[in-house]
Amino acid sequence: MAEKKRRSPSQGRAQATVDAILDAAFQLLESGGPERLTTNHVAERAGVSVGTVYQYFADKQDILAALAQRRTSAVRDAIAQTLIERPDLGSVRPIVRALMNGFEGSPATRQALLGAMFHRGDAVLEEHHQAFLASIAGKARLQIDLTPESAFVLTHAAVGLLRAAAAEPGLALDPQALEDELVRLMEAYISALVALRGPRPSTSSG
């Protein structure tokens, strides 16, 4: 039997219902951790029936994935705007900080959302990579020439390391020290790309 196709929140009222479900899920994560998150509890907190939850989400993991997707998209858009407004080395630390603090809430909540984000595999990184490049195309006056390879490194390096840090909590990495190291890494790479490009041609007419 084919799986029933779930509704897409295309209308304002439906989107409000989805938002209420996701907000409720976040509140439950914060108050009781991932083990507290069940579709019954989410429905009760959101003020909707369990059937309504299942109209939009297949299960608990689907809710977590949507919650992670919503937050990841917001962080991606904020980083793109930062780069458009300040396309130089001064934007590196705010971007790294946005990546590190992108998932709000307790450590257990952040861990649950990070796990959900990567539950689909590396395809999620490719989706956000493509969306990010599309959002800055023609808008960010970068000091470097982005090749597919350099763009890949820039969008994946910090994320990949943060993913590894989240997967290895036993290392007890200091967040501020880790931020400093990631900033140093990204600034060094960008500086190397700037040096490869060389000085820009003069635009003066005199």
Side-chain angles (χ1 to χ4, degrees):
M1 181 176 179
E3 181 181 356
K4 181 180 178 181
K5 186 176 181 181
R6 307 198 185 280
R7 293 174 59 185
S8 176
S10 57
Q11 298 180 350
R13 188 172 180 179
Q15 186 60 58
T17 299
V18 169
D19 288 341
I21 292 170
L22 294 180
D23 290 342
F26 181 82
Q27 293 165 13
L28 288 169
L29 281 173
E30 283 291 272
S31 62
E35 59 278 359
R36 175 69 176 167
L37 190 68
T38 67
T39 51
N40 284 330
H41 288 148
V42 169
E44 181 181 357
R45 178 65 66 93
V48 300
S49 69
V50 175
T52 297
V53 173
Y54 282 122
Q55 285 180 348
Y56 299 101
F57 302 101
D59 51 25
K60 164 183 172 176
Q61 191 62 42
D62 203 18
I63 295 173
L64 280 172
L67 192 56
Q69 175 72 11
R70 182 172 72 169
R71 190 57 200 155
T72 302
S73 296
V75 172
R76 184 193 69 216
D77 292 344
I79 289 174
Q81 190 59 39
T82 297
L83 196 56
I84 290 169
E85 294 174 355
R86 190 177 181 182
D88 54 42
L89 283 179
S91 68
V92 173
R93 187 171 293 275
I95 287 173
V96 168
R97 190 166 292 166
L99 286 170
M100 294 185 69
N101 301 325
F103 289 98
E104 303 170 315
S106 67
T109 296
R110 292 197 299 271
Q111 183 65 33
L113 294 181
L114 281 169
M117 186 175 80
F118 293 112
H119 181 71
R120 292 163 51 202
D122 290 333
V124 67
L125 281 178
E126 182 179 352
E127 290 174 12
H128 286 289
H129 170 77
Q130 299 289 1
F132 174 75
L133 293 180
S135 67
I136 65 171
K139 299 177 183 177
R141 300 177 62 85
L142 302 176
Q143 298 175 315
I144 58 177
D145 295 319
L146 282 182
T147 64
E149 294 76 18
S150 61
F152 173 84
V153 171
L154 283 169
T155 59
H156 284 63
V159 172
L161 289 169
L162 288 172
R163 180 183 183 181
E168 302 176 50
L171 296 177
L173 300 175
D174 177 76
Q176 185 57 58
L178 181 59
E179 176 186 311
D180 291 341
E181 294 303 320
L182 289 173
V183 169
R184 185 175 293 113
L185 173 70
M186 299 306 294
E187 286 183 344
Y189 182 64
I190 293 170
S191 295
L193 291 178
V194 171
L196 282 174
R197 181 180 189 180
R200 292 184 177 184
S202 174
T203 56
S204 61
S205 57

